[in-house]
């Protein structure tokens, strides 16, 4: 019997696509795009299609595993859950519940994936992670500036006279925005791409501007200086709706245009061009994740926000500083799902520094780590330190579909279900405002169980079963029942997707959710958190300008962009072509070192070494190297063997791109 059912993509990306899933004889046989979805309109990427391969893979974990004398043996669910819960009970009695670390990431955008927090809060509160390796600096930065990180609706791009894609490879990471770009260009909008790498998005641009990695904030300073000098800034907006403008001017006055051009490696013509399109609005700006992954990452986003603000492109149709769209996630009643008040103890490490947190923790030490929705040994910076930290802990529990690098280190591995084997509501707080419903379509292989089932069974053993005696519908209604009658679970199941009540043009009333109610060049919230709050510019931590001695030893900037065919590390075991490390180098590096495509090479710094095959980047900024993130160590090694694990300037993001390396032919 063949059946086609509407479903949703759970992957952590901008687009949150609608699916049409074909089920035959109890198996998922294909995944296609839902043509009726108002945003994604039947178009999906290869990563979404791969979910069929992932669900049906013979490499799936199907039974609980326990490591005995260095080898995994199969055990029953009862034994696994009994032993894990007994260890958690002992930890609670002898130490404190914060001796358990919940290491998590964002591999699945399902609403019910937040029930892990409910479990750990009911347990008493554990050591949890804050910040984000992926986008934390930018979200925090825009929260300081606007009060939230809110983006314009997808269709608003057709109100833009000019569109600036700043540090985002839309073609690779946000395909439906790419479709809108193509149409907007046909309609007469100009497209400008600013990026160290000439990518697929740059190919359709009217103007491509190559910038030295890590210097984006300084470029924004130069553009603002020129706008103000030419009297082309929006004085009325600045006067009526902003706070701290004099502090911004003080910062701008510390730099000359000549210094800006020298350090950013832009031309004066580039800078004047950018100033002209910001003045000649409405101009929309779409910000990528890479440029906020530096030690100066938060202030980079703040300075671009400031540029968008002083040029009059805030709160108008066709404008915006579009980074996240967290007004989508704020639509849900997460407290009802997660029960934060149940926690009586708490401790936090940043996601980036979790290895140091584990190694340095006292009162109590970390005795157990439970990993959900992530593969930290691959995804967390400074992989060697992460391995040392995870190996130092008495008990490591991993919940996953596959025997990842992290799972291979574990004492217990618990097999969980994929998107088509469970029921949930899916959304993304990055691009559009539609939530998608996904029903359970097939049975999981072997004894794989849903995360919810695992938490419920552990809760029974730990004495708070009553907090998990709800049906899936009841849990989902906890999160959405406060919304209007237009958004009900019954309607969502019937219509498959519904729009959430968000603003299509954020800040159109010029009322901001900062403490002052204005756009804040100098952030009151930042001051309350112990920061200066003023707009600042810092050089990257590792660059030829800030650390010339280090740059003599390691002269090349290493980037680690998102892979085309895998959502972070998830699909590497499924695609043989991905299971080779590719080292992409700019043309000048290849010429200077006589590297040819296909050569074997090693990149290295004081943190680690990585071997791979050379590929030459066309039109990349000089002295630039890229290795896609997500590669498993068993397939050659993660780029995070080389990346630093420090926190960004606002404490909420990574500095993955703030990384110098050297390279030699092997």
């Amino acid at each position: 019997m063949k059946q086609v059912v509407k479903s949703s993509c759970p992957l952590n990306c901008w687009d949150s696509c609608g699916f049409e899933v074909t089920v035959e004889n109890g198996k998922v046989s294909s995944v296609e795009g839902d043509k009726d979805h108002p945003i994604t309109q039947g178009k999906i990427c290869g990563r979404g299609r791969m979910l069929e391969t992932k669900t049906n893979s013979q490499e799936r974990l199907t039974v609980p595993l326990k490591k005995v004398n260095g080898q995994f043996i199969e055990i029953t669910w009862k034994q696994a859950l009994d032993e894990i819960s007994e260890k958690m009970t002992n930890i609670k009695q002898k130490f404190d519940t914060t001796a358990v670390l919940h290491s998590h990431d964002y591999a699945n955008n399902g609403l019910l994936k937040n029930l892990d927090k409910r479990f750990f809060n009911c347990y008493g509160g554990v050591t949890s992670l804050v910040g984000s390796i992926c986008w934390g600096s930018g979200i925090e930065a825009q929260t300081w500036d606007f009060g939230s990180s809110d983006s314009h609706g997808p269709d608003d791009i057709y109100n833009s006279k000019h569109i600036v894609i700043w540090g985002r490879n839309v073609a690779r990471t946000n395909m439906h925005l790419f479709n809108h770009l193509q149409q907007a260009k046909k309609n007469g909008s100009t497209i400008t791409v600013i990026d160290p790498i000439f990518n697929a998005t740059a190919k359709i641009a009217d103007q491509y501007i190559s910038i030295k990695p890590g210097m984006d904030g300084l470029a924004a300073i130069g553009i603002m200086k020129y706008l103000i000098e030419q009297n082309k800034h929006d004085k009325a907006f600045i006067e009526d709706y902003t706070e701290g403008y004099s502090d911004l001017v003080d910062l701008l006055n510390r730099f000359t245009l000549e210094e800006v051009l020298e350090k950013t490696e832009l031309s004066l013509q580039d800078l004047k061009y950018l100033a002209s399109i910001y003045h000649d609005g409405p101009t929309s700006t779409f910000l990528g994740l890479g440029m906020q992954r530096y030690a100066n990452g938060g202030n980079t986003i703040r300075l671009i926000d400031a540029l968008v603000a002083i040029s009059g492109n805030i709160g108008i149709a066709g404008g915006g500083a579009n980074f996240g769209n967290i007004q989508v996630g704020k639509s849900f009643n997460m407290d009802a799902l997660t029960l934060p008040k149940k926690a009586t103890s708490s401790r936090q490490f940043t996601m980036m520094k979790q290895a140091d947190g584990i190694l340095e923790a006292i009162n109590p030490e970390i005795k157990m780590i439970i990993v959900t929705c992530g593969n930290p040994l691959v995804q967390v910076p400074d992989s060697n330190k992460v391995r040392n930290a995870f190996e130092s802990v008495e008990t490591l529990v991993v919940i996953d579909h596959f025997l990842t690098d992290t799972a291979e280190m574990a004492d217990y591995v618990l097999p969980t279900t994929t998107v088509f084997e469970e029921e949930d509501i899916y959304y993304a707080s990055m691009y559009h405002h539609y939530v998608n419903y996904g029903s359970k379509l097939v049975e999981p292989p072997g004894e794989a169980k849903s995360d919810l089932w695992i938490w419920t069974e552990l809760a029974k053993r730990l004495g708070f079963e009553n907090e998990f005696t709800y049906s899936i519908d009841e849990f989902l209604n906890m999160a959405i029942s406060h919304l209007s009658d237009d958004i009900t679970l019954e309607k969502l199941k019937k219509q498959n997707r519904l729009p959430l009540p968000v603003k299509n043009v954020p800040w159109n009333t010029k009322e901001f959710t900062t403490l002052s109610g204005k756009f804040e060049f100098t952030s009151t919230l930042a001051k309350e958190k112990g920061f200066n709050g003023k707009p600042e510019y810092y050089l990257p931590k590792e660059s030829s300008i800030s650390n010339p001695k280090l740059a003599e030893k390691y002269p090349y900037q290493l980037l680690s962009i998102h892979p085309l065919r895998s959502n972070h590390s998830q699909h590497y075991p499924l695609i043989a072509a991905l299971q080779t490390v590719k080292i992409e180098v700019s043309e000048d590096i290849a010429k200077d070192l006589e590297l040819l495509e296909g050569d074997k090479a090693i990149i290295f710094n004081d943190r680690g070494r990585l071997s791979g095959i050379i590929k030459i980047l066309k039109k990349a900024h000089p002295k630039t190297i890229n290795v896609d993130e997500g590669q498993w160590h068993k397939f050659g090694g993660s780029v995070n063997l080389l990346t630093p694990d420090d926190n960004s300037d606002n404490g909420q993001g990574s500095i993955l791109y703030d990384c110098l390396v050297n390279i030699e032919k092997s």
Side-chain angles (χ1 to χ4, degrees):
M1 180 178 177
K2 181 177 179 180
Q3 185 181 17
V4 179
V5 185
K6 292 188 185 297
S7 186
S8 174
C9 185
L11 297 177
N12 176 27
C13 88
W14 271 276
D15 294 67
S16 190
C17 296
F19 282 167
E20 289 184 354
V21 181
T22 302
V23 178
E24 297 182 83
N25 302 317
K27 295 283 188 182
V28 173
S29 60
S30 69
V31 178
E32 300 294 338
D34 176 8
K35 304 176 192 64
D36 299 322
H37 194 286
I39 301 295
T40 61
Q41 299 178 344
K43 297 179 181 179
I44 62 173
C45 72
R47 287 169 290 216
R49 295 182 196 279
M50 281 299 299
L51 291 169
E52 175 271 322
T53 304
K54 182 177 186 178
T55 298
N56 294 324
S57 173
Q58 296 300 307
E59 301 299 315
R60 285 277 302 276
L61 295 169
T62 59
V63 293
L65 302 175
K66 178 183 179 180
K67 190 170 286 178
V68 178
N69 297 324
Q71 300 294 322
F72 282 119
I73 62 170
E74 297 181 1
I75 60 174
T76 64
W77 272 107
K78 183 179 186 306
Q79 180 182 348
L81 297 170
D82 284 350
E83 292 182 7
I84 292 168
S85 59
E86 182 180 1
K87 290 176 184 293
M88 294 185 75
T89 299
N90 290 337
I91 288 171
K92 189 172 186 177
Q93 291 172 347
K94 294 180 180 179
F95 306 101
D96 182 79
T97 56
T98 54
V100 175
L101 167 66
H102 176 209
S103 179
H104 64 88
D105 215 315
Y106 303 98
N108 186 303
N109 281 329
L111 195 58
L112 297 185
K113 294 302 175 184
N114 291 283
L115 291 174
D116 55 5
K117 300 180 184 69
R118 183 187 191 91
F119 171 80
F120 290 114
N121 286 332
C122 290
Y123 171 63
V126 297
T127 299
S128 59
L129 302 179
V130 296
S132 168
I133 293 169
C134 188
W135 69 342
S137 294
I139 296 297
E140 182 73 358
Q142 293 205 319
T143 301
W144 289 6
D145 295 341
F146 299 96
S148 183
S149 180
D150 296 348
S151 292
H152 290 228
D155 290 344
D156 185 62
I157 196 171
Y158 297 110
N159 294 313
S160 302
K161 186 173 183 180
H162 305 289
I163 303 163
V164 178
I165 308 297
W166 201 325
R168 186 193 298 190
N169 186 358
V170 172
R172 179 174 285 204
T173 62
N174 194 181
M175 65 178 292
H176 298 92
L177 173 56
F178 187 75
N179 294 335
H180 285 308
L181 286 178
Q182 292 174 307
Q183 185 59 50
K185 183 175 181 178
K186 290 179 182 178
N187 294 353
S189 301
T190 72
I191 298 173
T192 300
V193 169
I194 307 171
D195 204 288
I197 295 176
F198 184 83
N199 52 44
T201 310
K203 290 178 181 178
I204 69 165
D206 297 280
Q207 187 84 11
Y208 165 66
I209 294 177
S210 176
I211 188 169
K212 183 178 176 64
M215 299 296 171
D216 304 88
L218 190 57
I221 285 174
I223 300 166
M224 285 189 281
K225 280 184 68 69
Y226 189 79
L227 283 171
I228 294 169
E229 288 174 3
Q230 298 297 312
N231 199 29
K232 292 182 177 179
H233 52 308
D234 190 333
K235 301 183 194 67
F237 178 82
I238 294 167
E239 178 69 26
D240 295 338
Y241 303 113
T242 73
E243 286 280 344
Y245 178 64
S246 62
D247 290 333
L248 176 68
V249 173
D250 288 344
L251 173 64
L252 302 185
N253 287 339
R254 283 187 244 155
F255 297 88
T256 65
L257 285 182
E258 290 74 20
E259 181 182 5
V260 169
L261 297 175
E262 178 186 359
K263 290 179 178 177
T264 60
E265 299 179 3
L266 298 175
S267 69
L268 180 60
Q269 182 180 358
D270 289 336
L271 192 142
K272 288 182 177 180
Y273 166 78
L274 290 169
S276 72
I277 62 173
Y278 274 101
H279 173 63
D280 183 32
T283 300
S284 56
T285 305
F286 292 88
L287 303 168
L289 304 181
M291 60 192 170
Q292 48 95 58
R293 294 175 180 158
Y294 292 85
N296 64 7
N299 274 285
T300 291
I301 300 301
R302 294 200 72 204
L303 289 166
I304 298 174
D305 288 349
L307 166 61
V308 177
I310 74 159
S311 61
N313 286 295
I314 297 295
I316 64 169
N322 302 286
F323 182 72
N325 199 15
I326 63 175
Q327 57 179 328
V328 174
K330 288 178 179 177
S331 299
F332 303 109
N333 185 354
M334 288 301 186
D335 283 358
L337 279 182
T338 62
L339 301 178
K341 292 182 179 179
K342 289 284 185 179
T344 56
S345 294
S346 67
R347 178 171 59 183
Q348 295 180 330
F349 302 154
T350 66
M351 189 175 287
M352 296 64 68
K353 300 290 288 184
Q354 59 185 284
D356 280 337
I358 294 164
L359 293 168
E360 298 169 5
I362 56 173
N363 299 324
E365 297 177 354
I366 298 297
K367 298 294 183 181
M368 174 184 280
I369 302 173
I370 300 179
V371 178
T372 63
C373 288
N375 186 6
L377 190 63
V378 165
Q379 293 297 141
V380 176
D382 200 345
S383 296
N384 288 317
K385 188 190 292 185
V386 176
R387 176 176 289 278
N388 292 337
F390 275 58
E391 287 177 342
S392 73
V393 174
E394 291 176 6
T395 306
L396 172 60
V397 180
V398 174
I399 301 172
D400 212 307
H401 307 115
F402 295 95
L403 201 61
T404 64
D405 287 291
T406 308
E408 285 193 337
M409 296 179 61
D411 299 285
Y412 297 90
V413 183
L414 306 180
T416 190
T417 47
T418 68
V419 57
F420 305 128
E421 298 159 357
E422 58 192 24
E423 179 181 0
D424 212 336
I425 291 172
Y426 300 93
Y427 69 98
S429 291
M430 291 181 271
Y431 182 46
H432 67 79
H433 62 296
Y434 275 81
V435 292
N436 303 330
Y437 172 73
S439 61
K440 180 178 177 179
L441 303 180
V442 296
E443 293 297 323
E447 298 176 34
K449 302 292 185 182
S450 70
D451 290 23
L452 174 55
W453 184 90
I454 296 170
W455 302 131
T456 302
E457 290 299 315
L458 284 172
K460 289 177 183 177
R461 291 162 169 81
L462 290 166
F464 47 90
E465 176 184 4
N466 59 312
E467 298 297 354
F468 281 84
T469 55
Y470 299 95
S471 67
I472 290 175
D473 280 6
E474 287 172 328
F475 274 127
L476 292 174
N477 272 314
M478 286 180 191
I480 68 171
S481 59
H482 65 290
L483 297 172
S484 71
D485 291 340
D486 292 330
I487 305 172
T488 65
L489 185 57
E490 181 181 5
K491 286 184 177 179
L492 188 54
K493 287 185 176 184
K494 184 177 180 180
Q495 298 181 32
N496 302 295
R497 87 288 300 170
L498 290 170
L500 289 169
V502 303
K503 279 196 169 185
N504 194 52
V505 179
W507 326 119
N508 62 322
T509 62
K510 306 301 189 291
E511 296 172 345
F512 300 89
T513 53
T514 55
L515 293 173
S516 68
K518 295 185 175 184
F519 179 93
E520 294 188 354
F521 295 108
T522 298
S523 169
T524 311
L525 176 61
K527 289 180 179 179
E528 288 194 351
K529 291 186 173 185
F531 294 89
N532 177 281
K534 295 181 180 181
E536 297 286 350
Y537 178 73
Y538 308 104
L539 289 166
K541 187 175 181 180
E542 295 189 10
S543 77
S544 57
I545 301 171
S546 61
N547 197 337
K549 186 174 181 180
L550 183 69
E552 285 182 14
K553 187 177 181 182
Y554 303 119
Y556 306 118
Q557 187 81 44
L558 176 64
L559 305 180
S560 47
I561 66 176
H562 294 282
L564 177 62
R565 300 177 66 190
S566 179
N567 186 247
H568 303 297
S569 70
Q570 292 189 50
H571 295 155
Y572 278 85
L574 305 173
I575 304 173
L578 289 181
Q579 294 167 12
T580 301
V581 176
K582 294 181 177 63
I583 300 173
E584 299 180 300
V585 301
S586 54
E587 291 176 302
D588 61 300
I589 298 175
K591 182 179 179 181
D592 292 346
L593 301 182
E594 298 181 348
L595 295 170
L596 301 175
E597 292 225 357
D599 282 349
K600 295 180 180 179
I602 299 172
I603 51 174
F604 56 95
N605 59 21
D606 291 341
R607 288 176 289 268
R609 301 169 67 86
L610 185 63
S611 300
I613 304 300
I614 290 294
K615 184 177 180 182
I616 299 174
L617 290 166
K618 305 298 183 184
K619 297 185 182 179
H621 203 82
K623 295 189 175 182
T624 300
I625 297 175
N626 174 69
V627 177
D628 287 358
E629 55 93 7
Q631 180 66 273
W632 291 23
H633 294 288
K634 66 178 70 176
F635 302 136
S638 167
V639 69
N640 284 321
L641 288 165
L642 301 158
T643 56
D645 66 350
D646 287 341
N647 297 322
S648 64
D649 47 4
N650 59 28
Q652 295 299 304
S654 67
I655 68 166
L656 293 170
Y657 285 18
D658 213 328
C659 183
L660 290 177
V661 297
N662 208 333
I663 184 171
E664 60 185 28
K665 191 181 294 188
S666 63

